[in-house]
């Protein structure tokens, strides 16, 4: 396919008025000396170009998207309509409080809803992603100890954790101490006990963890940590398994971040925009980023009066459009959020039971919203997990998350979400069982997959760092 620059034929899609725009006020050094070099094509050619490009993309509207740890659920289109209402989308972020009461009210009520869902006492909506929420949460923890006059340097993180956890804690200046998982895929309590000392600021946990397994000892862990004067951080990126059933407060956590773009319905295939609100217990409220939206019984206002605030982590209110979608989704679902979790867990367990014969299931436990298989059986025939993932692309199915978590060999991490029907999942079962058969009988076909995509196997690192948009397979 040609790039739009190669399609340039000098035809213009729009007519600009002849009148020059007055740019006298611009400094000479800011004025372009050479033409911008934008391609020129007709409106119809531009539309066809981008439609053709979008057809090459995979999305949830095209097929099953079981990408573990990412919660690729269906995001109702009505959320997009609400987020694009002119009263929201055209509102200037520097508008006076008087002129932005509606937007402030929405954020205030979203804060209140997230308090109920997480059990926490205070919320900052600022962070723009899960990883930024983690960083914010860890900065809160750091400040808490600073104000207390303690110099704790260690953060404990399970070996099954998402890579952003150690990255966030490290960015905050903490030293990472890994804790092992036991044979049930849960934090090894004895290993944890041997690690805890007075230098430990916090533990960062995900529950259900990245194996999709609920940490049965979470209350004991919470007690161990609190008795040691340490705090507990909850990675709530994947909140989809527990909404309405339990919450991080009941589990004994102090700080939580949520990924509104996973659990609360913002499409997130292409890397953003997202929102990673941070929720904390009341003892940590005075460290949150400012401002927070307040309400004095009559009007909504920006509350900058946060005693030990770590400062601002994102301009204005973070990604406001994502907040609108999350609020719309929560209002629309109401108490049915609980049913969404119930179905997400049911769907994951259904798939796990169907697939655990043909594929190795290293931790054969009831799962929550996702589960992790291993491709080790197929590896014996020379077919790797990467080959299986690529073969799925030929079947109009997005590959699951692969090679994560790191503690599972040849990991295949599957998360169907609540939004898929039994029929869709049965179709997926047929496809991935067929691939398991092919691994035995025709491994060559899988090793050379995918066969149907515009490009086949690329060096993914180089492709990300030096994208060659015209790359054609030789
Ligand atoms: C996705 C995810 C994150 C990071 O979220 P981003 O919005 O991508 O920064 C952190 N932890 C877990 C468990 C995740 O699944």
């Amino acid at each position: 396919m040609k790039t739009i620059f190669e399609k340039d034929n000098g035809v213009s899609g729009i007519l600009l008025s002849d009148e020059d725009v007055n740019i006298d006020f611009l400094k000479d050094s800011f004025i372009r000396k050479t033409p911008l070099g934008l391609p020129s094509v007709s409106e119809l050619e531009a539309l066809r170009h981008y439609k053709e490009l979008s057809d090459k993309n995979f999305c949830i509207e095209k097929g099953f998207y079981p990408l573990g740890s990412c919660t690729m659920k269906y995001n109702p289109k009505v959320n997009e309509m609400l987020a694009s209402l002119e009263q929201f989308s055209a509102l200037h972020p520097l508008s006076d409080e008087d002129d932005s009461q509606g937007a402030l009210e929405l954020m205030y009520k979203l804060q209140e809803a997230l308090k109920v869902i997480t059990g926490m006492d205070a919320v900052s909506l600022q962070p723009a992603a899960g990883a930024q929420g983690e960083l914010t949460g860890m900065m809160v923890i750091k400040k808490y100890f600073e104000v207390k006059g303690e110099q704790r340097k260690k953060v404990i993180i399970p070996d099954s954790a998402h890579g952003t956890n150690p990255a966030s804690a490290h960015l905050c200046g903490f030293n990472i101490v890994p804790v092992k998982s036991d044979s049930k895929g849960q934090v090894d309590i004895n290993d944890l006990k041997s690690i805890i000392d007075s230098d430990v600021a916090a533990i960062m946990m995900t529950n259900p963890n990245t194996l999709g397994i609920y940490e049965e000892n979470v209350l004991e862990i919470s007690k161990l940590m609190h008795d040691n004067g340490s705090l507990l951080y909850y990675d709530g990126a994947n909140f989809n398994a527990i909404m309405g059933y339990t919450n991080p407060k009941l589990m004994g956590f102090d700080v939580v971040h949520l990924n509104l773009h996973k659990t609360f319905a913002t499409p997130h295939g292409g890397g953003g925009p997202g929102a990673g609100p941070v929720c904390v217990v009341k003892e940590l409220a005075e460290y949150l980023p400012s401002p927070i939206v307040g309400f004095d019984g009559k009007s909504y206002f920006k509350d900058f009066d946060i005693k030990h605030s770590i400062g601002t982590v994102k301009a204005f209110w973070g990604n406001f459009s994502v907040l609108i979608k999350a609020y719309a989704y929560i209002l629309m679902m109401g108490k049915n959020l609980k049913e969404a979790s119930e179905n997400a867990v049911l769907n994951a367990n259904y798939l796990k039971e169907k697939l655990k014969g043909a594929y190795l299931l290293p931790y054969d436990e009831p799962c929550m919203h996702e589960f992790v298989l291993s491709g080790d059986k197929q590896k014996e025939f020379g077919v790797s997990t990467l080959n299986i993932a690529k073969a799925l692309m030929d079947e109009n199915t997005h590959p699951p998350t692969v090679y994560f978590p790191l503690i599972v060999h040849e990991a295949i991490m599957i998360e169907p979400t609540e939004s898929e029907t039994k029929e869709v999942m049965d179709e997926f079962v047929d496809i991935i069982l067929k691939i398991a058969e092919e691994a035995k009988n025709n491994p060559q076909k899988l090793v050379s997959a995918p066969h149907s995509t515009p490009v086949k196997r690329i060096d993914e690192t180089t492709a990300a760092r030096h994208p060659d948009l015209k790359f054609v397979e030789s």
Side-chain angles (χ1 to χ4, degrees):
M1 183 178 164
K2 284 184 179 169
T3 67
I4 195 154
F5 291 89
E6 290 165 317
K7 292 179 183 171
D8 186 339
N9 54 16
V11 176
S12 180
I14 47 162
L15 291 175
L16 292 174
S17 104
D18 287 341
E19 261 173 67
D20 274 345
V21 180
N22 184 353
I23 50 170
D24 291 348
F25 64 94
L26 280 179
K27 271 201 207 160
D28 206 40
S29 59
F30 288 143
I31 296 175
R32 179 177 297 284
K33 303 286 182 304
T34 50
L36 186 54
L38 288 177
S40 262
V41 294
S42 72
E43 184 170 327
L44 185 54
E45 285 167 312
L47 281 172
R48 285 182 182 149
H49 177 78
Y50 287 107
K51 178 74 175 85
E52 194 184 343
L53 271 183
S54 95
D55 284 347
K56 290 189 196 300
N57 262 338
F58 191 87
C59 54
I60 190 81
E61 290 85 354
K62 240 181 182 175
F64 191 43
Y65 208 138
L67 195 63
S69 202
C70 291
T71 314
M72 304 303 279
K73 61 167 75 181
Y74 173 65
N75 302 301
K77 296 296 172 251
V78 66
N79 299 340
E80 302 295 327
M81 283 167 57
L82 294 170
S84 47
L85 285 177
E86 197 184 0
Q87 289 86 338
F88 287 134
S89 63
L91 185 64
H92 196 281
L94 287 173
S95 304
D96 289 342
E97 281 174 7
D98 282 351
D99 295 330
S100 45
Q101 281 296 302
L104 290 171
E105 178 180 351
L106 183 144
M107 289 188 279
Y108 181 83
K109 290 187 169 166
L110 178 60
Q111 288 171 190
E112 294 300 303
L114 298 182
K115 283 186 204 171
V116 173
I117 291 169
T118 60
M120 295 282 145
D121 301 308
V123 180
S124 164
L125 299 173
Q126 263 179 31
Q132 200 189 12
E134 288 172 30
L135 182 62
T136 305
M138 294 316 286
M139 288 166 76
V140 163
I141 289 175
K142 193 169 182 208
K143 191 81 185 247
Y144 165 81
F145 283 112
E146 256 169 43
V147 170
K148 270 185 92 182
E150 290 188 38
Q151 303 292 326
R152 299 187 181 226
K153 290 299 275 177
K154 292 185 194 162
V155 168
I156 299 176
I157 303 183
D159 57 7
S160 60
H162 195 268
T164 49
N165 290 187
S168 302
H170 178 75
L171 259 180
C172 264
F174 288 114
N175 300 326
I176 314 303
V177 184
V179 58
K180 284 202 226 59
S181 302
D182 64 15
S183 59
K184 292 172 91 179
Q186 302 177 25
V187 168
D188 185 324
I189 279 278
N190 292 326
D191 192 37
L192 180 66
K193 284 181 183 160
S194 74
I195 291 168
I196 296 181
D197 63 26
S198 59
D199 200 20
V200 172
I203 185 168
M204 291 183 91
M205 283 177 70
T206 310
N207 192 26
N209 63 31
T210 62
L211 295 164
I213 294 171
Y214 194 86
E215 298 279 354
E216 291 165 1
N217 300 318
V218 65
L219 292 177
E220 188 184 347
I221 295 173
S222 158
K223 181 158 187 330
L224 280 172
M225 299 306 292
H226 284 148
D227 286 350
N228 189 52
S230 316
L231 298 176
L232 289 92
Y233 184 98
Y234 182 93
D235 179 339
N238 314 114
F239 218 74
N240 220 35
I242 64 164
M243 291 183 291
Y245 279 92
T246 181
N247 66 48
K249 174 72 191 221
L250 292 172
M251 299 176 203
F253 287 88
D254 305 291
V255 187
V256 186
H257 88 265
L258 298 169
N259 276 25
L260 297 188
H261 48 292
K262 286 179 183 167
T263 310
F264 299 96
T266 280
H268 57 282
V278 172
C279 316
V280 298
V281 292
K282 57 180 178 304
E283 292 79 5
L284 297 175
E286 61 189 14
Y287 304 95
L288 282 178
S290 67
I292 283 175
V293 187
F295 180 56
D296 62 11
K298 277 216 317 265
S299 48
Y300 299 91
F301 62 95
K302 300 170 195 176
D303 187 357
F304 286 93
D305 188 19
I306 299 168
K307 197 166 161 205
H308 299 298
S309 174
I310 57 166
T312 298
V313 297
K314 178 89 173 74
F316 304 110
W317 297 102
N319 286 322
F320 179 55
S321 71
V322 179
L323 308 182
I324 302 170
K325 292 177 214 178
Y327 185 61
Y329 179 73
I330 290 169
L331 278 193
M332 202 163 49
M333 295 289 280
K335 292 207 162 108
N336 292 331
L337 280 176
K338 191 171 175 183
E339 204 181 319
S341 286
E342 187 180 317
N343 287 329
V345 171
L346 180 64
N347 280 359
N349 279 283
Y350 179 73
L351 282 183
K352 173 174 68 70
E353 290 305 309
K354 290 275 184 185
L355 301 183
K356 77 178 188 188
Y359 291 85
L360 189 70
L361 178 65
Y363 298 96
D364 192 355
E365 300 280 326
C367 69
M368 295 290 125
H369 60 300
E370 63 192 359
F371 61 100
V372 183
L373 300 170
S374 159
D376 267 355
K377 281 192 193 176
Q378 288 67 34
K379 196 75 197 249
E380 286 173 22
F381 306 109
V383 173
S384 67
T385 282
L386 184 71
N387 298 146
I388 295 166
K390 298 290 183 193
L392 279 166
M393 295 168 74
D394 285 333
E395 305 281 353
N396 192 37
T397 299
H398 196 283
T401 297
V402 292
Y403 298 104
F404 174 75
L406 305 178
I407 56 172
V408 173
H409 248 218
E410 297 289 314
I412 305 174
M413 183 191 217
I414 296 174
E415 180 183 10
T417 82
E418 73 282 9
S419 41
E420 300 296 349
T421 60
K422 179 169 176 293
E423 286 72 20
V424 173
M425 290 192 296
D426 284 339
E427 222 172 288
F428 173 69
V429 168
D430 289 345
I431 291 168
I432 194 159
L433 292 183
K434 185 184 84 182
I435 290 174
E437 277 304 305
E438 281 172 351
K440 275 186 234 162
N441 306 328
N442 189 7
Q444 265 321 306
K445 179 179 166 204
L446 302 182
V447 169
S448 55
H451 303 279
S452 63
T453 54
V455 289
K456 310 280 179 287
R457 296 285 176 108
I458 49 177
D459 174 339
E460 288 167 13
T461 313
T462 309
R465 293 194 181 149
H466 307 285
D468 175 1
L469 303 182
K470 293 197 287 180
F471 178 77
V472 188
E473 210 94 22
S474 51

